[in-house]
Amino acid sequence: MKYPKIPLAQTVVQLCKAKDISNIVISPGSRNAPLTLGFTNDSFFNCYSIVDERCAAFFALGIAQQTQKPVAVLCTSGSALLNYYPAIAEAYYSDIPLVVLSADRPKYLVGIGDGQTINQKEVYKNHIVYSANLKQDVKAENNSETEELPIFKNIENKLEKLLGLQQTIQQENETEINTAINTAITQNGPVHINIPFEEPLYELTDELAVNPKVILPEVNVVKTNPEALNDLVDVWNNTSKKMILVGVNKPNSIEQQWLNKLAEDESVIVFTETTSNLHHDNFFPSIDQIIAPLTEDEFKRLQPDILLTFGGLIVSKKIKAFLRTYKPKFHWHIDEKKANNTFFSLSNHLRGNPNTFFSKFLPKVDVRKSSYFSFWSAIKKNRLVKHDSYLETIPYSDFKVFNQILSTLPSDSVLQLSNSSTIRYAQLFKLNKAVDVFCNRGTSGIDGSTSTAIGFALKSDRQTTLVTGDLSFFYDSNALWNDYIPNNFRIIVINNQGGGIFRILPGHKNTENFDTYFETKHKLSAKQLCEMYDFDYQEVSGEFNLSSALQSFYNNNSRPKLLEVFTPREINDEVLLSYFKFIK
């Protein structure tokens, strides 16, 4: 096997291998050549070449989302690593382990005007769980006089030589790399390892020069305080209105016995979102259907004594507005890392895994008599009847399109959703329980949805369908510049010729200023992109045509498929806004 000649590159590659980081997403460059050579010459690693660094990072995020393991992204120096930042922020807020490996110039070449050189140290410091800035090797195979190396041209580096030389630097680098990767594993978040390399960069060797020490991650076991748990049980048993609100949640992460226990309690209502991946006939999956039409008296009746939350960020603005106005007496949040004070009433951060908490808590609580569930269950049934009636009265529009698409998704498949209007429409419809749902809700940006979906699909043995709006799709169109897209991957682009969500928000619609700077009206089509990237392309407009297209869209094919659904730009907002009036 061939190895990069630079000891620091050997160290990084060996420690990634020792910690089972097998998926490496590489963007081309020269300064990162030692690592690229190290990873690509070792059959242990699955290496993927993605030119656009922004797409590369989201692609890696999708792999990590599916595998639940750290994935490394590798780039050259300069602005390359800045393009990772959107995905880094998403990983930070969505608790996804990414390991950023950025090549850098030696310290003496930073700040002197060299090209592709920026201040890379701690560049992600506000959105990273650990940042390691490694030291450059001072070992030179072909140089007997270490003082001649440019690294010793300033006093600081002369001191480094006197105090430690290569052995000390090697030990420090090993410790930093171990710490960074261990932190990504234990905290489920992004880490940054910045790695300086001196030229020559492309030399190979047949033997390893280093054998880095592997430090195992420390697993902190959170112990439950019995007295504190009993206090929570007492409060729970003495309240008649308990609301559970679940944000982004991994599929199959909560045992069904605990869901059943919650569902049978008359004093509990469970609100879930499309991204919660939790299902029970007694749960309330379409929050805005319930919340939007309520009167003040009904809001007071819904106001919980206890709000128990778990999972990631919440999509529904209506539930957030409600709970910020009609605050619960107690808000408990279950999470191993953090508890956001989303509703300005947080009283307890219950550190740990929701499944573990429920296994200790729910066997101790009583099922209490209450009209809380029955009252809101009756309203839910009424809303669903109204929902079906509304679908029969409206013209062809985004609303009807989402109903058709979401009702035809194949069982045992994966649905990836883009942000903005797409995720909000999806909240209003009942989904097949056998479909798992994912969406980049950490930062809720439109960037990277397609890249993430492709990364996920690559590592999944199930068909993955991305449903996306037109702006989100075109914004991330470089995602299709990718040689790893599986043939069973599907994209549905709902093209309403602009940012339709801005027509729903308050503003002066149908003016030149609005059309240009808010809605960003356009006449783009995905057809030419599909020709360039070898996607099977089909476009439709109209309810009957869409229904016909969907019948064969998910069938096996020799290429990935894209279905572009055109909808009428100027009526979509009115149809959606009228919906909430109709179901009241």
Side-chain angles (χ1 to χ4, degrees), residues 547-567:
S547 178
S548 176
L550 288 171
Q551 290 178 14
S552 60
F553 180 65
Y554 302 103
N555 294 346
N556 291 336
N557 197 47
S558 59
R559 296 186 295 172
K561 293 183 181 180
L562 185 147
L563 176 64
E564 188 165 23
V565 184
F566 289 92
T567 63

Side-chain angles (χ1 to χ4, degrees), residues 289 387 390 399 428 575-583:
Q289 272 182 5
H387 175 92
Y390 188 71
F399 199 98
L428 302 175
V575 171
L576 180 61
L577 294 172
S578 297
Y579 169 74
F580 294 111
K581 298 175 184 176
F582 185 91
I583 64 173

Side-chain angles (χ1 to χ4, degrees), residues 215-260:
I215 303 171
L216 298 176
E218 295 181 5
V219 179
N220 294 321
V221 179
V222 179
K223 295 182 180 180
T224 305
N225 183 329
E227 292 183 3
L229 185 66
N230 289 334
D231 289 342
L232 295 176
V233 171
D234 288 342
V235 174
W236 184 273
N237 286 338
N238 285 295
T239 54
S240 58
K241 295 196 302 180
K242 279 95 76 172
M243 179 185 292
I244 296 176
L245 176 60
V246 188
V248 176
N249 191 64
K250 297 170 187 173
N252 307 311
S253 60
I254 308 297
E255 290 183 24
Q256 192 62 40
Q257 62 174 318
W258 309 130
L259 302 180
N260 294 340

